[in-house]
Amino acid sequence: MANSFVQNNGVASDYHEVVIVGVGMTGMCQLHYLKREGVDVLALERNSEVGGTWYNNRYPGCRFDSESFTYAYSFSQEVLEEWDWSERFAAQNETLRYTQFVADKFDLRDNIEFNVSVKSAHFQETENLWKIRLEDGRSIECRYLITSIGALSTPTLPRFDGLDSFKGESFHTFHWPHRGINLEGKRVAVIGSGSTGVQVVSEIADKVGHLTVLQRRPNWCAPLKNGKISPEEMSDIRDRYAEIFETCNSTHGGFLHDADPRGFHTVTREERLALWEKLYDEPGFGIWLSNFKEIFIEEDANAEFSEFIAGKIRQRVDDPAVAELLIPKDHGFGIQRVPLETKYYEIFNRDNVNLVSLLDEPIERITESGIKTETAEYEFDVIVYATGFDAMSGAFDQIDFRGVGGQKLIDKWSDGPMTYMGMFVSGFPNMITLLGPQTGSYSTNFPRAIEAVSSWSTDFVLHMRKNGKIRFDAEAAAEEAWCEESQASINQRLLRNAKSWFHGFNANVKGHDTLKPRPYIYVGGNPKYVRRLTDIKNRDYEGVTIT
């Protein structure tokens, strides 16, 4: 599989035509596509197993928010026939088993080196190669470098004083102990109420002695309504896979759910309420994505719908004052990704759960025994930080990428990331960033976008081989134009008003509050994004200089 040669300095180095960094859902798909074409490809994985997100995140309640059978790979009929999903929204351990099943099915482990971390990747201009140095001191060279390092793979802790002084157990949800932890009878604090925080507290509320939820900013949530998939239902799903994937590939977000074709203003309020009641009682993202398009772009429409959801929260939470703390006041429902929950609001009716609003009672410091806010001191046995990630660019910042002239990627992106289609970075030749900033993947049902970009990049590598070319680089003008288009896709939606990692906003990351308003994702929709990629390919890879 590998070729070895001796460099000028006498140090042995492995060479592969393609090296993939990261073997989560995306890296596995890309590895399979290249391997079946006979490409000499090696994948590097810092963990001891495949799975990425689904390997690392072991916190209680971790599971899909998209229907399991729509999240699956569609590239193998054999896998579709052999794998049975047990739940409509699969839990982390089932999804991890699924990734392992796929890796074994296609012998992907033969092309993966586990337990290796990439320290640096420098482009060698004279040879048109990438030299990759590993943390263990070894080096690998490749013609093409493909990154698949995850948008949410670099966890961030809050910038509180005394973070290391706590004498109990504390960890970020990303680092939840794989051995597990006994929370029975413990006083537990969970800081953060995004998607992860919502899942964690919903799962552990009835298992701990006392739970304190320290909410930084409330999020709009909707019921998941998970359920088992019977053998009969799985058989029916299997018969409809072609139809299911066709639907997903045609919708804006890559899900089964599509916008209501009626206009918000063409129906009566009674008809709107009837639709909302119906969607609220159904599982999954329907309440968000099967709604009227106007709720994403019109303030008045969004306000009316947000008040409907606020009413649901008030119905589910016994204490009116607590209910109001759980209702966002700084943004409307659905303008950013909606956490799906299972009896989340009901946990605040429990005697052993209390809510602390950090907007009203900011944390001053972490102490030896717990947390001190401006108005009180709390003692805990365990502190869980559900405080998010240095999204999109954070994983790139952990590796010393250097392009033409030794330019550092971290310097190029110091004012916010710039890419072409989220897949190329001008000045960093022969590198494809499958999960780069401004890709369409992160505003869609992930695997539907994964298969599209992995197929496209495979065709691109084969195009280079077929035509005897050994170097490519994105044009700066194409990169700038794509950044502008990505920003425009956000500006057209109420998402533009949100404080979200979609804009690179993360209060835990120093300097993020001063970044230029560059977009971190493209939200024009998966069908439009895929059409753009197809057009670029049909125009001889327009925007990419190939030499």
Side-chain angles (χ1 to χ4, degrees), residues 59-60 158 160 169 171-173 176 183 187-205 208 210-216 344 347-348 353-358 363 371 380-388:
Y59 62 83
F160 299 140
E169 287 198 78
F171 41 80
H172 192 282
T173 51
W176 194 283
L183 298 177
R187 300 165 298 175
V188 180
V190 177
I191 302 176
S193 55
S195 296
T196 300
V198 166
Q199 288 183 327
V200 170
V201 300
S202 301
E203 183 68 21
I204 69 173
V208 302
H210 192 276
L211 173 64
T212 300
V213 180
L214 296 104
Q215 174 183 268
R216 300 193 295 177
Y344 168 64
I347 72 166
F348 296 100
V353 177
N354 71 298
L355 176 67
V356 175
S357 171
L358 298 183
I363 291 176
I371 297 173
F380 298 110
D381 302 303
V382 180
I383 299 177
V384 177
Y385 296 102
T387 49

Side-chain angles (χ1 to χ4, degrees), residues 359-379:
L359 292 175
D360 303 316
E361 190 180 337
I363 291 176
E364 286 190 348
R365 65 177 292 107
I366 306 299
T367 68
E368 290 188 1
S369 59
I371 297 173
K372 184 180 186 303
T373 69
E374 284 187 354
T375 58
E377 289 195 43
Y378 302 89
E379 293 188 351

Side-chain angles (χ1 to χ4, degrees), residues 163-279:
L163 209 62
D164 297 328
S165 63
F166 182 60
K167 298 299 185 182
E169 287 198 78
S170 64
F171 41 80
H172 192 282
T173 51
F174 186 81
H175 295 127
W176 194 283
H178 285 201
R179 57 177 167 76
I181 180 173
N182 182 13
L183 298 177
E184 185 176 353
K186 300 288 182 65
R187 300 165 298 175
V188 180
V190 177
I191 302 176
S193 55
S195 296
T196 300
V198 166
Q199 288 183 327
V200 170
V201 300
S202 301
E203 183 68 21
I204 69 173
D206 63 348
K207 300 175 179 64
V208 302
H210 192 276
L211 173 64
T212 300
V213 180
L214 296 104
Q215 174 183 268
R216 300 193 295 177
R217 291 189 306 123
N219 274 287
W220 296 101
C221 303
L224 178 69
K225 295 189 179 294
N226 192 24
K228 298 292 185 182
I229 296 177
S230 69
E232 294 76 19
E233 289 172 315
M234 192 63 232
S235 178
D236 176 64
I237 289 168
R238 189 169 283 115
D239 290 341
R240 295 187 296 108
Y241 263 131
E243 172 191 342
I244 288 169
F245 291 128
E246 182 179 359
T247 298
C248 290
N249 290 332
S250 68
T251 62
H252 187 92
F255 295 92
L256 288 175
H257 315 284
D258 203 4
D260 192 296
R262 302 172 297 171
F264 180 94
H265 303 289
T266 66
V267 300
T268 65
R269 174 166 170 75
E270 289 70 25
E271 289 173 311
R272 292 196 291 270
L273 289 173
L275 173 66
W276 295 339
E277 290 287 357
K278 172 180 176 292
L279 295 177

Side-chain angles (χ1 to χ4, degrees), residues 226-461:
N226 192 24
K228 298 292 185 182
I229 296 177
S230 69
E232 294 76 19
E233 289 172 315
M234 192 63 232
S235 178
D236 176 64
I237 289 168
R238 189 169 283 115
D239 290 341
R240 295 187 296 108
Y241 263 131
E243 172 191 342
I244 288 169
F245 291 128
E246 182 179 359
T247 298
C248 290
N249 290 332
S250 68
T251 62
H252 187 92
F255 295 92
L256 288 175
H257 315 284
D258 203 4
D260 192 296
R262 302 172 297 171
F264 180 94
H265 303 289
T266 66
V267 300
T268 65
R269 174 166 170 75
E270 289 70 25
E271 289 173 311
R272 292 196 291 270
L273 289 173
L275 173 66
W276 295 339
E277 290 287 357
K278 172 180 176 292
L279 295 177
Y280 196 80
D281 288 336
E282 294 177 348
F285 276 138
I287 187 64
W288 179 35
L289 300 177
S290 294
N291 219 308
F292 302 104
K293 293 180 181 178
E294 287 84 352
I295 71 164
F296 300 105
I297 57 177
E298 295 183 13
E299 297 277 5
D300 291 346
N302 185 271
E304 182 180 320
F305 178 57
S306 297
E307 186 54 34
F308 168 83
I309 298 295
K312 291 295 184 182
I313 297 172
R314 295 182 182 110
Q315 290 173 14
R316 294 171 61 183
V317 179
D318 294 341
D319 187 331
V322 173
E324 292 307 311
L325 290 177
L326 292 166
I327 298 172
K329 306 298 192 296
D330 63 342
H331 68 284
F333 184 97
I335 69 172
Q336 58 193 47
R337 195 178 181 100
V338 176
L340 296 182
E341 46 82 18
T342 300
K343 298 183 178 179
Y344 168 64
Y345 293 108
E346 284 75 11
I347 72 166
F348 296 100
N349 299 330
R350 298 179 58 90
D351 292 337
N352 72 324
V353 177
N354 71 298
L355 176 67
V356 175
S357 171
L358 298 183
L359 292 175
D360 303 316
E361 190 180 337
I363 291 176
E364 286 190 348
R365 65 177 292 107
I366 306 299
T367 68
E368 290 188 1
S369 59
I371 297 173
K372 184 180 186 303
T373 69
E374 284 187 354
T375 58
E377 289 195 43
Y378 302 89
E379 293 188 351
F380 298 110
D381 302 303
V382 180
I383 299 177
V384 177
Y385 296 102
T387 49
F389 298 83
D390 188 355
M392 301 303 293
S393 59
F396 288 92
D397 293 347
Q398 305 304 306
I399 298 173
D400 178 19
F401 289 101
R402 300 194 188 190
V404 174
Q407 181 184 26
K408 295 182 179 181
L409 184 62
I410 196 170
D411 291 340
K412 179 178 172 71
W413 286 358
S414 61
D415 289 328
M418 295 182 66
T419 72
Y420 179 41
M421 301 302 297
M423 296 183 69
F424 301 101
V425 182
S426 178
F428 290 77
N430 290 11
M431 182 169 76
I432 300 175
T433 56
L434 287 182
L435 300 177
Q438 295 141 13
T439 185
S441 303
Y442 292 108
S443 60
T444 67
N445 186 9
F446 203 39
R448 306 285 58 82
I450 285 173
E451 292 185 343
V453 296
S454 296
S455 176
W456 191 93
S457 60
T458 300
D459 288 346
F460 182 71
V461 169

Side-chain angles (χ1 to χ4, degrees), residues 22-51:
V23 196
M25 288 290 290
T26 308
M28 287 177 60
C29 184
Q30 182 66 87
L31 174 57
H32 171 63
Y33 283 7
L34 288 171
K35 184 175 179 178
R36 72 183 180 185
E37 295 293 340
V39 175
D40 171 24
V41 54
L42 173 70
L44 305 174
E45 173 54 53
R46 65 182 180 181
N47 294 319
S48 60
E49 190 42 286
V50 299

